[in-house]
Each structure stands twice: as C-alpha cells, then as structure tokens.
C-alpha cells in the first residue's frame, strides 16, 4: 500500500508539472532568437521602411501590418511606462495640464499585461516580455479551464497549445487586445471551481470580472460565455454556482469601474479622437479556419495578413474527434458555442452593428475548439496501448520470433 501511495503521489506530481514543462518548451522554441542569438522583438525596426521614417541605408523588406500597428500604437505607451513607471499610467501630467492615464482606457495601453511588461522588463526587452507573458498566460488559463473540465493533464496541454497558437490569440500578441485573449478563459474558473463560502465566491467573481474589465471590450465575449455556462450549469456541473456571488462580484466591479469610465469620458482633451476598437473582418468561409491565406502571386514580397479566425487543420481534426469523446451533457453546450461563434465570425459587420454586438467572439471560438481538441487528444490517448500492453505485445512478438 505504501508503494501504491508513493506511485500515485509521483503520478500526481508529474501531472502538475505538465503545463510548466510544456510552456517552457514552447517559450524556448518561440523565443530562441531572442534568448540565444540576441535578436529581441522590436517592431519599431519596421518603421525604417515606412514614411516618414524611411532611410536610404539600403533595401528593407516590406514590414508586416501587425508590426507597424504595434510600433505606432502600443510602442510609445510601452516606452513611456518603462521610462516613467506606473505614475504615468495612472495620471499623465504632461498633456493638457493633466488627464487620466491609460488605466482608464485599455486601448491606450492601460491593459494589464502591457503594464506588467512595461514595469518589469529591462530596457530593450519590453516587447519580448509582453509576448512571453501573453503567450504563457494564454496557455496557463486555457490549461486550467481544460483540466477542470476533466480532460487530463496531457490532453489539456494539447488544447491549451491549440488555443495559445490560434489565430485570434496569435494575431494580438503585440497588441493591447492580447490581454483580454490571454486572460479571457479565467472567466470560467468561478463557474467550474466555485469556492464553498459565499464571500469567497463573490471575491472570485469580483477579481475575475475586474481583471477582464480592465482588459477592455474584447473580454466581453468571455464574460458572456461564463454567464451562459451559469445559465446552463445544472446539466453540466455537479454543483451549479449561485447567482448571488455573480451579482455581488458584478456590483464590486461596477463600483470600481464607473469612476474610470467617467474619467475616460470627461477627462480627455477637447477635440481629441476617442480610441475605438475596430471589429475584426468577417470570415469568408470555413476554409479560413483550417488553412492560412496564400500569398498573392502579384506581390510575392508583401506578407499576407494572418486570418483572424485561423485555428489550424490539426486542431479542427482533433475537435471533430473530440465530439465523440465529449460527455453527452457537455457536448451540446460546446458544440453550440462553436457553431454560434463561427456564425458570428461570418456575419457582415453591418449586421453585427445592428444587433449591438461590438466584438466578434473569435477568442471564445478558439477556446471552444480547444476544448473539443483536448477531448479528441484524450480519446487518442485512451486508444493508445498502455505501457503494460506494449511490454506484453513486445514479449509476444519476441516469443514468436524465437
């Protein structure tokens, strides 16, 4: 019995190390040029080939639109936060005699993860730190949700990798919207693992909702997904959470966010354009979910814009397999979530505006596909022979050959 307990303890400890090992391996792979070759992320370098920053020192490749947007939009905010600290994010005394800082507006650099990267990273490493933080938290939050859904450690790592590398998340690695996509899966944690005490549940809801509210409008679809899971929780969860904790958490969030919204509306300079979130373009077809867009033959040097809804062929195939393995009581919810989000991704922007939907829920679509892909990976793991079966088969073939 002692040996069995030690074996079970070793299995549990190895399972808890799975997300750490996987995310370290992925970060070492993705950040290999920065960690070992000294080539750190610097979107500002792309401005050398863009007017009015163009120089005549030699040919420069055509920059990526994402790099130019990051350099011109979030780049100055990151530089100011890294230079002046958190004070400039709370209140900027140098513009218009003083106005609210970026914490009142996530689109102006006040999202949680750009602030974290700007405050903690060394000089020259801000963009690299932002990418590492957003990728690691996207993986960790998705893995946490998938493990609570009972997929297992390694299948959860497969689904979390699919989510962190999906088009909706990867397309905002160097933007302020990456905070909402990296932290969005946390909205499901108070639903899937509610604390026993009511005040603890209210505190959990308040912390998650406040973190997502600080991430901006792209986090709203994840909050809507959490509310939908609360509504349909009785057939899905063993212990459905109560509405009281959610309402108490929402009241706390409103009490903290309303002053920031008032400052954002009334504290700006007269005539200054208000930052607006541009909705992602509509998906032209289901092929955009599986295959990235091809480069046009007429402009071979121009980089193609990545599809905002790209999931990957492997993720889609695993998701189709996962439909078989998914428990019956949860199959309808996650399939319905995937179908609704894909439909909203394909609707024209004018119809979304009339319906009052400011954001395409591409992050929720990627999370739903990751859930199905994790169950697909679990089914494949269950069909694989165990170590004991492999040894028995090897012994059988050895005896047959002898």
């Amino acid at each position: 019995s002692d040996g069995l307990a030690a074996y079970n303890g070793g299995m549990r400890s190895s399972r808890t190390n799975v997300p750490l090992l996987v995310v370290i391996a992925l970060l070492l792979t993705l950040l290999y040029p920065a960690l070992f070759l000294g080539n750190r992320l610097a979107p500002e370098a792309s401005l050398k080939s863009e007017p009015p920053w163009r120089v005549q020192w030699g040919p420069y490749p055509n920059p990526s639109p994402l790099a130019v947007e990051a350099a011109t939009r979030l780049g100055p905010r990151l530089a100011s936060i890294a230079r002046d600290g958190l004070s400039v994010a709370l209140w900027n005394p140098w513009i218009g005699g003083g106005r609210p800082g970026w914490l009142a507006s996530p689109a102006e650099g006040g999202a949680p993860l750009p602030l974290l990267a700007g405050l903690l990273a060394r000089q020259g490493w801000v963009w690299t730190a932002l990418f590492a933080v957003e990728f690691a938290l996207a993986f960790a939050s998705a893995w946490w949700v998938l493990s609570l859904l009972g997929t297992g450690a390694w299948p959860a790592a497969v689904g979390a990798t699919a989510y962190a590398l999906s088009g909706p998340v990867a397309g905002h690695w160097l933007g302020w919207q990456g905070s909402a996509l990296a932290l969005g899966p946390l909205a499901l944690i108070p639903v899937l693992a509610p604390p026993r005490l009511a005040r603890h549940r209210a505190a959990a809801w308040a912390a998650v909702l406040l973190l997502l509210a600080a991430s901006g409008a792209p986090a709203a679809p994840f909050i809507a997904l959490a509310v939908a899971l609360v509504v349909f929780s009785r057939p899905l969860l063993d212990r459905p959470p109560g509405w009281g904790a959610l309402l108490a958490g929402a009241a706390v969030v409103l009490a903290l966010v309303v002053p920031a919204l008032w400052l954002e509306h009334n504290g700006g300079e007269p005539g200054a354009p208000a930052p607006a979130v541009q909705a992602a373009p509509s998906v032209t077809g289901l092929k955009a979910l599986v295959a990235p867009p091809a480069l046009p033959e007429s402009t071979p040097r121009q980089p193609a814009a990545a599809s905002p809804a790209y999931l990957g062929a492997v993720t889609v195939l695993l998701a189709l397999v996962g439909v078989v393995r998914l428990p019956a009581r949860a199959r309808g919810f996650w399939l319905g979530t995937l179908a609704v989000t894909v439909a909203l991704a394909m609707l024209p922007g004018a119809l979304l505006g009339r319906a009052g939907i400011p954001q395409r829920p591409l992050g929720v679509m990627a999370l739903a596909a990751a859930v199905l892909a994790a169950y697909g990976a679990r089914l494949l793991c269950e069909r694989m022979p165990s170590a004991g079966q492999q040894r028995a088969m090897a012994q059988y073939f050895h005896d047959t050959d002898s």
Side-chain angles (χ1 to χ4, degrees):
S1 59
D2 295 339
L4 181 60
Y7 175 77
N8 292 333
M11 289 292 292
R12 284 194 296 270
S13 61
S14 63
R15 289 176 182 175
T16 56
N17 293 331
V18 166
L20 182 61
L21 295 175
V22 173
V23 75
I24 289 176
L26 291 174
L27 285 176
L28 289 177
T29 303
L30 295 173
L31 294 178
Y32 176 82
L35 297 176
F36 301 100
L37 302 179
N39 298 328
R40 289 164 284 182
L41 294 176
E44 292 86 356
S46 63
L47 299 180
K48 293 182 178 180
S49 59
E50 288 289 310
W53 301 280
R54 181 178 290 139
V55 294
Q56 302 300 326
W57 294 343
Y60 287 92
N62 292 332
S64 168
L66 296 177
V68 174
E69 181 182 2
T72 56
R73 187 167 188 181
L74 189 58
R77 277 78 172 176
L78 283 177
S80 298
I81 295 171
R83 182 180 63 250
D84 300 327
L86 188 61
S87 59
V88 71
L90 292 172
W91 189 269
N92 192 344
W94 308 111
I95 300 179
R99 70 170 184 175
W102 300 319
L103 284 181
S105 178
E108 290 296 315
L113 299 187
L115 283 175
L116 182 64
L119 292 174
L120 300 182
R122 294 186 300 171
Q123 184 178 3
W125 286 85
V126 179
W127 285 108
T128 308
L130 178 62
F131 163 76
V133 167
E134 289 191 350
F135 178 82
L137 288 181
F139 177 90
S141 60
W143 188 90
W144 193 0
V145 169
L146 293 173
S147 62
L148 290 177
L149 290 173
T151 60
W154 284 107
V158 172
T161 304
Y163 176 76
L165 295 177
S166 62
V169 180
H172 297 288
W173 276 342
L174 300 182
W176 67 271
Q177 299 188 44
S179 292
L181 296 167
L183 303 175
L186 296 179
L188 302 181
I189 301 302
V191 187
L192 298 175
R196 293 185 177 181
L197 298 180
R199 62 177 182 272
H200 293 170
R201 290 197 299 269
W205 275 111
V208 168
L209 293 178
L210 184 61
L211 192 63
L212 295 184
S215 301
F222 292 97
I223 299 176
L225 178 64
V227 174
L229 190 57
V230 170
V231 173
F232 298 102
S233 60
R234 191 164 299 278
L236 294 176
L237 304 175
D238 297 331
R239 186 179 58 179
W243 285 93
L246 176 59
L247 294 178
V252 173
V253 172
L254 287 177
L256 297 175
V257 170
V258 166
L261 295 178
W262 183 87
L263 287 174
E264 181 183 1
H265 185 267
N266 299 300
E269 298 177 2
V277 180
Q278 296 181 356
S282 60
V283 179
T284 56
L286 294 177
K287 184 180 179 181
L289 305 178
V290 180
L295 284 172
E297 296 182 0
S298 58
T299 58
R301 294 183 59 190
Q302 180 66 29
S307 172
Y310 174 69
L311 300 176
V314 176
T315 301
V316 174
L317 290 176
L318 284 177
L320 294 177
V321 176
V323 174
V324 180
R325 181 60 181 82
L326 198 68
R329 60 180 183 176
R331 185 182 299 123
F333 179 81
W334 290 109
L335 276 179
T337 300
L338 184 61
V340 170
T341 51
V342 170
L344 291 177
M346 293 183 177
L347 285 179
L351 293 179
L352 288 180
R354 293 177 183 176
I357 303 176
Q359 289 289 315
R360 297 186 188 275
L362 300 181
V364 174
M365 179 188 70
L367 182 60
V371 171
L372 297 177
Y375 276 101
R378 181 178 179 179
L379 179 60
L380 295 181
C381 291
E382 291 174 350
R383 295 298 177 88
M384 294 177 61
S386 62
Q389 292 175 344
Q390 292 177 359
R391 287 194 298 268
M393 292 175 62
Q395 184 66 30
Y396 170 77
F397 286 115
H398 179 269
D399 295 341
T400 303
D401 294 338
S402 61

